[in-house]
Amino acid sequence: MNIERIGIGISVLGATIMAIFGLIMAYLTESDAILLDGMFNLFSVVLSTGSLIISMFVTKGYTKHHPLGFYAYESFIIFIKGLFILGLVVMSLYSNITVLLSGGRVPNIVGMLSYSIPALFINILTLLACYFTYKKANTELLFAEFSAWKLNTLITGVIAVSLVIVFFLKDTSLGWIDRYIDQILVIVLCILTIMDPIYLITNSFKELMLRSVNNESTEHINSLIKQQFESDSFNLEDIYVLKLGRAMWITIDLSILDKNLSLEKYINFQNDIKEMFTQKYSNTEVTFNFISKL
């Protein structure tokens, strides 16, 4: 079975368990924080299921109704996932800043620990599954899943740790800290992790707008081409790289310097370049524009 689908499937399973567990514990503890977490996980189930469906369609390649493949759907779901994660960060920031400025809140320690410790365990397992499958498959869909679970695990972990600290400090002179510790830690954590969803949003938006990739990637491809051949027959004029999801289209402008260039040499050169890129990058199309300077 496809490694990417395994990773996303585990993410869907983890989010489903967390959503059900969160909604049940929110009802039992009457905690708005747990209810919010359960609702976010429920929404995450929908998005991750969408990613799983798109992963299946992407492998179909080109069809009559999708002559460029299904790669745009991949960028779109990553864009939505980035917005979702950013929304989680912003809402967590807003909620915790509001509580902090209103004088903090004494947590229901027993009830929230009963939720946060099992939740942290589930989050860690799902996060590790997404991480290892991402390292194996290295796709943007899995990176989006990994980013979402990383943030969710960090927030749940911080809340669990802060509740344990509060539990041991409640009968000491530092017992007053119980009103503020989880808000402060979550705010700091949100600020430190806010760049992950912004990265997902900006990159996927650029892809959807069919904007060429950054100069660093272009230079890397340029260097690969230069390493491939040492020839007096061609001169590299320009290179254009367009990326959409996991697909990449490379257009190479070359000038012909050899007036005696044979058709066989021309075809062999094209095949060598295309083979090099298909070995290094999957789902890559290479097009040549030859400019005569003879």
Side-chain angles (χ1 to χ4, degrees), residues 79-178:
F79 178 75
I80 298 299
K81 192 82 173 182
L83 287 176
F84 168 69
I85 300 171
L86 184 61
L88 174 60
V89 173
V90 172
M91 288 190 67
S92 295
L93 274 172
Y94 175 78
S95 174
N96 283 276
I97 288 174
T98 302
V99 173
L100 187 66
L101 293 178
S102 64
R105 176 177 56 202
V106 178
N108 178 350
I109 298 176
V110 176
M112 294 192 73
L113 274 176
S114 299
Y115 170 76
S116 60
I117 292 177
L120 179 60
F121 179 72
I122 297 169
N123 281 338
I124 291 174
L125 289 179
T126 312
L127 174 66
L128 289 174
C130 289
Y131 173 77
F132 287 119
T133 51
Y134 167 65
K135 286 299 180 181
K136 287 275 188 181
N138 196 28
T139 67
E140 293 183 0
L141 284 177
L142 277 174
F143 179 73
E145 297 296 322
F146 169 67
S147 297
W149 281 105
K150 181 172 70 172
L151 179 63
N152 211 9
T153 302
L154 286 172
I155 292 177
T156 305
V158 164
I159 293 173
V161 171
S162 64
L163 287 170
V164 171
I165 293 172
V166 167
F167 180 79
F168 285 105
L169 293 180
K170 64 180 181 179
D171 295 324
T172 69
S173 59
L174 296 175
W176 57 272
I177 202 173
D178 65 348

Side-chain angles (χ1 to χ4, degrees), residues 7-47:
I8 299 174
I10 293 172
S11 179
V12 172
L13 178 62
T16 303
I17 293 171
M18 284 297 301
I20 296 171
F21 182 50
L23 294 175
I24 292 173
M25 289 301 296
Y27 174 77
L28 295 176
T29 62
E30 299 181 352
S31 169
D32 291 337
I34 296 177
L35 177 62
L36 180 64
D37 193 41
M39 293 303 296
F40 267 113
N41 281 302
L42 189 61
F43 188 47
S44 185
V45 171
V46 177
L47 289 178

Side-chain angles (χ1 to χ4, degrees), residues 240-268:
Y240 309 94
V241 182
L242 178 65
K243 185 176 178 298
L244 189 59
R246 71 194 62 190
M248 186 161 57
W249 289 267
I250 303 172
T251 303
I252 302 170
D253 285 351
L254 292 169
S255 58
I256 302 174
L257 303 177
D258 183 7
K259 64 180 181 180
N260 297 315
L261 177 66
S262 66
L263 179 60
E264 182 182 2
K265 188 174 182 179
Y266 161 70
I267 293 175
N268 288 338

Side-chain angles (χ1 to χ4, degrees), residues 1-13 48-49 51-53 55-57 59 132-134 136-137 139 142 246:
M1 186 177 179
N2 186 283
I3 293 176
E4 180 185 59
R5 293 176 202 168
I6 293 174
I8 299 174
I10 293 172
S11 179
V12 172
L13 178 62
S48 295
T49 302
S51 295
L52 185 60
I53 294 171
S55 175
M56 296 176 182
F57 275 101
T59 57
F132 287 119
T133 51
Y134 167 65
K136 287 275 188 181
T139 67
L142 277 174
R246 71 194 62 190

